[in-house]
Amino acid sequence: MKISCTRENLSRSLALTNGITGKNLNLPILSNILIKVDEQKVELVATNLELAVVSTIRAKVENPGQFTVPARTLTDYVNLLPNEKIDLELKDNELVVACGKAATKIKGTPADDFPIIPTMEDGKGYTLNASELKNALAQVLSAVARNDIRPELSGVFFNLNPENGEGKLILAATDSYRLAEKKLAIQQGGDQHSVIVPGRTAQEIQHLLATSGEESEPNARVMVSDNQIMVSFNNTQIISRLVDGKYPDYTQIIPKDFAATALVDTFQLTKEMKAAGLFTTTGVNAVSLAFKPTVGSISVSSTSTQTGEYASELSGDITGAENTILLNNKYVLDGLNNFNTAQTEIKIVSGDSPCIFEPAGDKNYIYIVMPIRQ
């Protein structure tokens, strides 16, 4: 095996594949990256058995072959090299990496023990704008459950072309404490289908879509079957298992009528929630929002036996009746961090009902936080 390529191309592919490798006591080879070379192309492959990343790099092939090397070692070393041509050659069960005046040997493992990466031959195909899908995933990922007590909540719900919503993909995530939903247009693909994509896979898809080269593609291609999803973008593919089970009907908890609404400055709201968060009890993070329509403000307050008290007024366009709700400020900030509008609309039913946050003027994204019940 012998190839030549640019450091930039190799480094980009390593960044995409290295992320899913890690220590596995039962199968140590999973911490390696497979370098697969044939007459036509060079692929870097990584897997953790749940998902796999296959990245094709442009390279000059002198001798085909395949070999695996520790992902972290190769990635860290390549990132230290100058931006010049790199030669990779297999010699005596070692990968020789030569660049400029430097030449290094990295010990590896034969490719025979590397797991076989599944391929997707059949499935329903869709095309989506890569930038829109990347941003949409960022907006819902914070609400994914961090444990597997309810496996279906540890993933992102992909609802493709739902009834009365043809031509749209609806992404949703909830951990029972907050809920995020985002709608975006499907460029191509009319089949109706819904799947649950593991949270880790959704993170890797977002990471893939965030990496752009000189010839970056505008669209990402998505293929789904009953138990797998494949996303292709910029010569890289992510193939993953899906989460078994049925996603809960989260739409039932979205309120339709509200006692009070507020239109406030997003930056000021974020600043107030951060400040109030300094004076909350760790773990609870309770911040009180008191809506005062008559004076056009929201009272923001918090109390901590360790750090003290906080009280401030946030001005805005407040309508409806006076109301107070207690919210986890970290959950609120997770949503606000993904708002890209100057103003935020807050909708409240009561102190015991879900509180809605929406970017003003954007009806395609909704973020809901459940109240802390006293």
Side-chain angles (χ1 to χ4, degrees):
M1 184 186 86
K2 186 176 182 181
I3 63 168
S4 299
C5 62
T6 65
R7 189 200 74 92
E8 184 181 6
N9 286 344
L10 181 58
S11 182
R12 184 183 299 121
S13 287
L14 285 170
L16 291 169
T17 49
N18 178 59
I20 65 167
T21 61
K23 288 185 178 179
N24 186 305
L25 297 178
N26 297 322
L27 210 56
I29 201 167
L30 294 183
S31 64
N32 286 12
I33 281 179
L34 169 65
I35 303 172
K36 194 176 179 181
V37 182
D38 63 26
E39 301 285 356
Q40 305 297 325
K41 61 184 178 182
V42 177
E43 291 179 338
L44 300 187
V45 185
T47 183
N48 62 5
L49 299 183
E50 294 295 322
L51 73 144
V53 180
V54 181
S55 185
T56 304
I57 59 174
R58 285 191 296 182
K60 178 186 175 184
V61 177
E62 293 190 35
N63 289 317
Q66 49 186 359
F67 191 60
T68 81
V69 291
R72 175 61 61 190
T73 304
L74 181 60
T75 302
D76 289 350
Y77 179 67
V78 168
N79 288 340
L80 294 172
L81 294 174
N83 207 9
E84 299 176 11
K85 179 173 75 78
I86 295 178
D87 295 320
L88 302 178
E89 185 176 7
L90 180 60
K91 288 184 178 179
D92 302 324
N93 257 3
E94 292 179 327
L95 183 69
V96 179
V97 183
C99 179
K101 297 179 180 178
T104 301
K105 294 178 180 179
I106 301 177
K107 295 184 181 296
T109 309
D112 303 343
D113 298 329
F114 201 80
I116 295 172
I117 304 302
T119 56
M120 279 190 69
E121 303 296 337
D122 299 313
K124 297 172 181 176
Y126 308 86
T127 302
L128 297 108
N129 179 278
S131 179
E132 290 180 5
L133 180 56
K134 175 197 72 174
N135 294 334
L137 286 168
Q139 289 179 311
V140 301
L141 272 167
S142 62
V144 171
R146 298 290 180 254
N147 57 55
D148 295 325
I149 296 174
R150 293 183 64 188
E152 65 275 13
L153 298 188
S154 66
V156 175
F157 183 54
F158 277 54
N159 196 358
L160 297 137
N161 294 308
E163 288 184 42
N164 305 319
E166 291 84 357
K168 285 193 179 297
L169 163 62
I170 300 179
L171 299 178
T174 180
D175 59 3
S176 299
Y177 302 107
R178 62 262 181 88
L179 163 71
E181 182 194 73
K182 174 69 177 182
K183 299 174 183 175
L184 64 157
I186 294 175
Q187 308 287 341
Q188 280 184 309
D191 288 315
Q192 193 175 334
H193 203 60
S194 61
V195 296
I196 306 173
V197 177
R200 176 67 188 277
T201 300
Q203 287 178 332
E204 291 302 325
I205 293 171
Q206 193 213 2
H207 180 215
L208 168 62
L209 300 175
T211 59
S212 56
E214 293 179 4
E215 301 174 4
S216 189
E217 301 171 6
N219 295 325
R221 295 176 302 283
V222 178
M223 182 178 284
V224 293
S225 65
D226 290 335
N227 55 10
Q228 281 185 313
I229 184 170
M230 181 174 73
V231 177
S232 303
F233 179 67
N234 279 355
N235 297 318
T236 298
Q237 294 179 335
I238 291 178
I239 305 162
S240 171
R241 293 179 183 175
L242 296 171
V243 178
D244 288 331
K246 182 176 174 59
Y247 206 76
D249 183 8
Y250 64 88
T251 58
Q252 293 180 350
I253 73 162
I254 302 176
K256 301 295 187 291
D257 302 305
F258 306 96
T261 63
L263 190 63
V264 298
D265 182 275
T266 303
F267 176 77
Q268 290 299 327
L269 174 59
T270 302
K271 185 178 173 184
E272 290 293 345
M273 295 305 292
K274 286 180 178 178
L278 299 173
F279 301 90
T280 61
T281 303
T282 304
V284 181
N285 307 311
V287 172
S288 173
L289 300 181
F291 291 67
K292 299 178 179 178
T294 53
V295 294
S297 71
I298 298 176
S299 292
V300 182
S301 61
S302 59
T303 304
S304 167
T305 54
Q306 281 83 32
T307 52
E309 299 180 3
Y310 179 81
S312 182
E313 295 290 322
L314 175 66
S315 60
D317 183 6
I318 321 294
T319 59
E322 288 194 1
N323 230 309
T324 301
I325 193 167
L326 208 58
L327 299 173
N328 183 312
N329 86 302
K330 290 189 180 297
Y331 293 166
V332 175
L333 287 170
D334 282 345
L336 294 177
N337 287 338
N338 290 302
F339 281 28
N340 52 13
T341 55
Q343 291 184 304
T344 293
E345 193 170 8
I346 310 173
K347 301 176 181 178
I348 181 176
V349 179
S350 70
D352 296 321
S353 299
C355 182
I356 289 182
F357 294 83
E358 288 180 332
D362 180 4
K363 296 302 179 185
N364 289 318
Y365 181 46
I366 185 171
Y367 187 80
I368 297 175
V369 180
M370 300 298 289
I372 298 171
R373 290 185 171 84
Q374 293 175 301

